[in-house]
Every structure is written in C-alpha cells, then in structure tokens.
Amino acid sequence: MTDFTQLTVKELVEGIKTQKFTSEDVVSFYISQCEKKKDLNAVLEIFYDAIEKAKEVDSKIAQGQTLGKLAGVPIIVKDNILNKGKKMTCASKFMQDFVSPYSATIVKKLEAEGAIIIARANMDEFAMGGSCENSAYGPCKNAIDPTCVSGGSSGGSAVAVAADLAPIAIGTDTGGSVRQPSSFNGVVGIKPTYGAISRFGLVAFASSTDQAGPITKTVEDNEYVFDIMAGKDENDQTSIELKRAETKPTYKLGLCKQLAQSIKQSASSTYFEKAVEKLKQKGFEFVEVDVPHIESCLPCYYVLTPAEATSNLARFDGVKYTTRATDAKTLEDVYIKSRSEGFGKEVKRRIILGNFVLSSGYFDAYYNKARKLQTWLGQEFDDAFADCDAIITPTTPYTAFKLGEKANDPISMYLEDLFTVPASIAGVPAISIPYATAENGLPLGLQVIGKKHSEHLLYDVAKKIKEA
Amino acid sequence: MDEKFDIEYLEALSKLKIDDAEKEKFAKDFANIVKFVDQITQLDLPELEDRSKAVCLSQLREDEVVEKEECDVVANAPKKKDGCYVTPMVVE
C-alpha cells in the first residue's frame, strides 16, 4: 500500500485523479492517524462524514468528471475558522455549543478545489497564546517531544502536519501563531501579506494583524495551497488582489542590525550563524539592514492587539452565541457572569489590558502611539527592502519548551514572539521553514520576511535555502 | 510608570470579574505587563504624511443591496424566541 505521508500534495491529487488509490483510502488513513495519535490532543473533533465526501470524489472521478486542485485531499482547520454545519469553539468553553452558520471564504475556496476537511484543530483560546496551553480542552503536545508544548496559537494545526494527521492544515497568525508552532514542530508555515487571504469567517482577534496561512511539510506544498487560498474577497474590505512577485536567480538577504543582539543572546544563535555561513558559501549575498524600531514591535503588539481584541470580543456576551450564566438576573448580570465564567485567564488578561490602553487618560500615550508606530514600521521595512530581497531571522529564540514551564509567567511567554511580531505589525509576509535540529533533538525554524506582495519570492528563497 | 491599577474599574469596563483568589497574582502580572509595554510611550515618532502607508486600510465600495446566503443569525443564541434574542427585561 502507498505510504501517503511520503507524497506531496500534488502527488496525492495526481494519485487520486489517476485512480492509483482512492480519496477514501487517503481520508480513512488520515482519520485513523487522528484516532491513533489522539494523545497529542491536536484535534478537537474528527469529522467522520469526510469519508462519505471522499467516496463522492471517487465516484465523480470514476464518472470522468474534472475535479479541482485538491481533489479528495484531507485538510485540518483551526478551531476559529467557520465551517458550515460544524461545531467551532475557538478552544473556549464559552463557545462549546456554537455551530457554524456559514463557511469562511477560505473553507469555500479549499472545498471548491475538492479538499475534504477531516477535523478541527486545537489552539490557544481565541488564538491568544504561544503554547496551546490556553486551550479550554487541554494543551496540544509537541509532535517530536510530547513533554514539550506544541507552540501556539495554531499548535494543533502544526502538530497535525508534523505528526501526519493531515497533509495540510490551516492556521491563523496574529503575531506568530502559524510560524512559531511550525518552527517548534519542524514544518513549513506562512503568515501572508496583510489582506492577501480573506478573513471572512475567521473569528477576529486583532483585526489589523490577523491573517490565515497554510501549514505543510514542504515549501512547494505550502505555495500550492497558498495560491488557492489567496485573493480579494468582497466580504472582506481589507482583502487585496495579490501581485505575483518576480523570482530571481540569486538573492540578497538582509540581517537586521537591531536584532543582532537579541539573536546572539538566544539559544537559536549558534544554529542561525551556521545557517548564514552555509548560505553565504552557497552563493547567497548578505547585507546588514536597519529597521530602527523593530525591538519596539513587541510592546507595540501588546498594546494594539489587546485593544483590538477588547472590541472584537465584546460581541461574546452571553446573548448572541455563547453559553449564558444560569444565575444571571439582569442584562448586566448576563454579560458579566457569562463572560467571567466563559473566558479563560489569558483572554481575560488581554481584554482588561485592552481596556486599560484604550481608557481615558491612557489612549494617546499607549494606543495612538502604538498605531503610529505600526504605520512607521511599515515605512522602515519598505526602506530596508530597498537594500535586500528578504530579511532572515530565527523564527523563535528557543526550541519548544516544556509543558507548564512558562504557564505562570506571561512576559516570558510574550517574549517568545520577539522575531515573529514585526512582520505582523508591518503587515508584510513571513515564512518559517525548518533548518536545524538543536542538541535537545527539537527543530528550529528560519524565518524569511519579505516586502508586501512578495510571497512567491519568499517561496523561491525558501526553496533555494532548503536546497543549499 | 509606577502606580496602583484600579482593577475594579478595568473589570467594569471589561464586563468581567477576576476571581478573588486570583486577583493578587493578576494585579502583579498586569503591573509587569504595563511596565513592559510602557517603553513605547517614550518613543518620539514624527508624523507620517502618507496615509497609504497604514497597514490596514479598508477599501470602500458602493452601498448597494446584494443577495447573500441565508443565515439564521439567532441559531446559536442560548435563549431565543420567534427569531429574536431573549434577555432579562431591561425596562420597568
């Protein structure tokens, strides 16, 4: 029998279309993988009707019908993406009974190409966190070392691909939530240009940085799925029509001067330096670039995103689509008791922080300053990309840490996002690719950041780095 | 910044209550987080003239009536009646 885990997405589609194997074989195999590896807690629910959908694909192929680019291929989506008729909880007990009334644009696009969604993936509650330990349904464990965290917030999605629960998973990334767990589990994940992929049908966390992105084993697979997901959507006013960046025979890569010290102090440092040396030998040109305010991105992020989250999460009120506290007597009671019982600790912390930075007397000093910095950062990145094709950094300062290690220290958890947050703040694309295995046996990711609309160039850089 | 935060006021703005048992740890963590983000208040950033540099700009469209997929908006409400949300009475 074919080992599906060794095939690329294109090979899977080709095999299904040429009837070398059936979609039912592929979907059943991956569902059995989800069952076998349920201890990882990467998926919150398996959709068994996927097998019927696979049979339909097989029967259409037998009838000679033309099918799409993902015909019969199983996919797992993060639990904050609407999938009509299916439960979606944002890994929160507050949303435990919610059933999606419609599908996200990206779900429709993937399904229009024949993809079959087989499960929903675990995540940090409302996508707030970097370890997946904030899930109300228990933490997702690392695919390589289950005593370690999966990373987050799209931990379930990254582990699903790394542990062969699906060839493709979809995550969302607000400050590193696709890239960091991809790095921790040795897979490929992209955070696209802001607006490149529609946000319609994604549960909003921070609207000015939220972006969905595919997670796959290879760069080629990632590009293939990204091309299907990208595009302007009339239901998302911030979505854009992506331009296709020209690729080049050789690339000039930027090393950000202002991050040099932080990289040097991180555990990723030696591996990163080795990678740079190797890439130099293989013909990549390197140049130092300035992004003067890059280190202010992290505090900026923890002002902007809680502020936006505060507004976005005001709709979860015990009235419209969440559970309601049973003993609430007045409307005010309904709001306060339901939200206090429903939201987890980290979500509450960020809502309160958001209200603090938006409150009278602090709004200008914090929120307006952060918003200004966000715009300024976009300019600084533009200037840096005048001197190089892409900037490289480690994706994370460290490999995956032990479960529980940082759970009680929010600042230390926030520092995990040091290298991933700048691209989110500036709205530019960034991809994480596996490039080294640390002494502890865990993978490390290399992050390649590009200018807006440079996804196809980033994919080409990533392929050339992998070949080097 | 070095000040006591009025957590009760922020709870009220947030329509949330922090468990009494967790309040002390919450206030301590919160103070550390505010200290951490406080560094941006010291930045001196000149205004950028070009608004097109903003990361997230909505592209406006004509206000036209369009047909959308039918969607039962109250389907997920914890209490509902005749297509409406049910809440405790808000008028005397």
Side-chain angles (χ1 to χ4, degrees):
Chain A
M1 192 181 151
T2 315
D3 181 358
F4 300 128
T5 66
Q6 297 303 309
L7 301 182
T8 66
V9 170
K10 272 189 196 166
E11 286 167 345
L12 272 176
V13 176
E14 195 54 30
I16 291 169
K17 283 188 177 173
T18 57
Q19 294 174 296
K20 203 170 151 196
F21 41 79
T22 64
S23 169
E24 187 185 351
D25 291 338
V26 180
V27 167
S28 302
F29 166 76
Y30 280 107
I31 285 183
S32 72
Q33 286 285 97
C34 293
E35 289 167 339
K36 245 186 251 171
K37 300 188 182 181
K38 67 171 191 293
D39 287 351
L40 289 171
N41 206 21
V43 301
L44 295 175
E45 186 186 4
I46 298 170
F47 302 135
Y48 286 97
D49 61 347
I51 294 171
E52 283 311 307
K53 289 181 182 168
K55 284 182 188 166
E56 282 169 30
V57 169
D58 292 329
S59 118
K60 282 180 186 168
I61 289 167
Q63 290 163 19
Q65 291 187 32
T66 314
L67 291 168
K69 291 175 189 161
L70 291 172
V73 175
I75 289 194
I76 291 179
V77 297
K78 190 174 177 180
D79 194 29
N80 61 349
I81 300 173
L82 294 184
N83 179 12
K84 190 173 180 175
K86 295 283 190 282
K87 211 177 229 198
M88 187 216 60
T89 70
C90 296
S92 177
K93 61 180 177 182
F94 207 12
M95 293 283 280
Q96 62 193 0
D97 302 322
F98 184 89
V99 176
S100 301
Y102 59 91
S103 282
T105 298
I106 51 173
V107 166
K108 283 187 181 171
K109 281 187 155 188
L110 293 165
E111 288 186 333
E113 292 293 345
I116 298 171
I117 299 174
I118 61 165
R120 56 186 168 90
N122 201 358
M123 57 186 277
D124 283 297
E125 185 182 6
F126 284 99
M128 295 177 190
S131 68
C132 216
E133 291 167 293
N134 295 334
S135 167
Y137 303 98
C140 171
K141 294 168 189 163
N142 190 282
I144 293 104
D145 179 353
T147 65
C148 290
V149 300
S150 60
S153 65
S154 309
S157 301
V159 169
V161 173
D164 292 320
L165 311 186
I168 305 164
I170 308 301
T172 61
D173 187 315
T174 302
S177 284
V178 162
R179 291 161 285 160
Q180 185 251 29
S182 294
S183 174
F184 279 5
N185 291 281
V187 291
V188 178
I190 192 164
K191 194 292 288 182
T193 303
Y194 182 78
I197 289 178
S198 167
R199 290 182 294 120
F200 182 70
L202 273 55
V203 176
F205 160 15
S207 306
S208 79
T209 67
D210 287 346
Q211 268 294 282
I215 298 174
T216 55
K217 278 190 176 168
T218 69
V219 177
E220 287 78 3
D221 281 353
N222 208 281
E223 184 171 22
Y224 188 70
V225 181
F226 170 77
D227 282 339
I228 292 165
M229 294 169 72
K232 190 165 169 54
D233 176 13
E234 62 169 21
N235 289 319
D236 175 0
Q237 291 301 301
T238 57
S239 68
I240 53 169
E241 204 57 71
L242 198 75
K243 294 170 200 152
R244 201 179 174 90
E246 293 289 325
T247 56
K248 297 177 178 182
T250 56
Y251 290 102
K252 194 199 268 187
L253 299 180
L255 294 170
C256 178
K257 219 185 282 178
Q258 289 76 13
L259 282 184
Q261 193 60 18
S262 300
I263 293 174
K264 215 171 177 52
Q265 286 167 354
S266 75
S268 306
S269 163
T270 342
Y271 305 99
F272 182 69
E273 280 166 20
K274 268 190 204 158
V276 170
E277 276 316 307
K278 188 173 162 197
L279 293 174
K280 274 182 188 165
Q281 286 162 19
K282 296 285 177 181
F284 282 88
E285 197 184 329
F286 279 86
V287 62
E288 274 199 337
V289 292
D290 279 304
V291 184
H293 288 99
I294 200 162
E295 290 218 288
S296 298
C297 281
L298 206 52
C300 173
Y301 177 81
Y302 281 99
V303 170
L304 279 185
T305 59
E308 293 179 25
T310 289
S311 305
N312 280 326
L313 269 59
R315 68 184 64 135
F316 300 100
D317 57 1
V319 174
K320 295 190 279 293
Y321 25 58
T322 54
T323 54
R324 180 181 295 185
T326 46
D327 58 342
K329 301 281 188 300
T330 65
L331 187 57
E332 182 82 354
D333 248 11
V334 168
Y335 296 152
I336 294 173
K337 287 188 174 167
S338 304
R339 285 162 64 82
S340 303
E341 287 174 14
F343 287 133
K345 204 191 284 181
E346 182 62 25
V347 179
K348 284 181 191 166
R349 180 154 42 220
R350 298 211 197 182
I351 291 174
I352 289 185
L353 181 59
N355 272 314
F356 169 71
V357 299
L358 292 174
S359 63
S360 172
Y362 298 104
F363 184 84
D364 270 332
Y366 290 98
Y367 182 75
N368 270 346
K369 187 57 86 64
R371 181 60 79 206
K372 204 165 158 188
L373 183 60
Q374 184 178 32
T375 307
W376 197 251
L377 243 298
Q379 178 66 54
E380 289 184 359
F381 267 105
D382 276 355
D383 294 345
F385 289 126
D387 298 327
C388 64
D389 298 306
I391 294 172
I392 65 165
T393 73
T395 308
T396 56
Y398 311 98
T399 56
F401 45 91
K402 293 283 178 193
L403 283 156
E405 190 182 322
K406 299 188 179 185
N408 285 318
D409 183 0
I411 296 280
S412 128
M413 192 72 93
Y414 295 175
L415 287 170
E416 276 295 310
D417 303 334
L418 181 65
F419 302 137
T420 50
V421 152
S424 299
I425 294 286
V428 296
I431 187 170
S432 175
I433 52 170
Y435 79 104
T437 304
E439 273 176 19
N440 60 8
L442 291 170
L444 277 165
L446 186 73
Q447 180 179 229
V448 190
I449 309 171
K451 62 179 166 192
K452 283 183 186 172
H453 297 272
S454 72
E455 277 81 349
H456 295 97
L457 182 145
L458 290 189
Y459 281 125
D460 196 49
V461 172
K463 283 176 210 165
K464 288 191 163 79
I465 290 175
K466 294 295 282 178
E467 285 160 13
Chain B
M1 163 169 300
D2 184 24
E3 62 180 90
K4 286 260 176 226
F5 297 101
D6 188 347
I7 297 287
E8 276 77 23
Y9 172 62
L10 294 172
E11 282 179 299
L13 284 177
S14 306
K15 300 268 185 275
L16 275 177
K17 280 267 177 233
I18 304 294
D19 285 346
D20 286 340
E22 290 172 14
K23 230 167 210 169
E24 200 177 324
K25 162 102 171 92
F26 183 91
K28 199 175 142 222
D29 286 344
F30 190 78
N32 282 335
I33 294 168
V34 173
K35 202 170 152 195
F36 174 68
V37 300
D38 199 49
Q39 49 187 291
I40 67 160
T41 62
Q42 311 305 319
L43 294 175
D44 184 21
L45 295 170
E47 285 294 339
L48 265 182
E49 301 264 315
D50 186 359
R51 273 285 293 148
S52 70
K53 295 287 178 195
V55 170
C56 139
L57 282 181
S58 284
Q59 295 161 36
L60 302 179
R61 55 166 171 77
E62 290 302 314
D63 189 13
E64 289 166 344
V65 176
V66 289
E67 291 294 321
K68 291 281 179 192
E69 192 182 338
E70 288 258 335
C71 172
D72 183 0
V73 290
V74 300
N76 281 294
K79 284 190 182 171
K80 53 188 178 282
K81 194 179 173 192
D82 303 330
C84 297
Y85 300 114
V86 174
T87 67
M89 199 182 288
V90 290
V91 286
E92 293 296 319

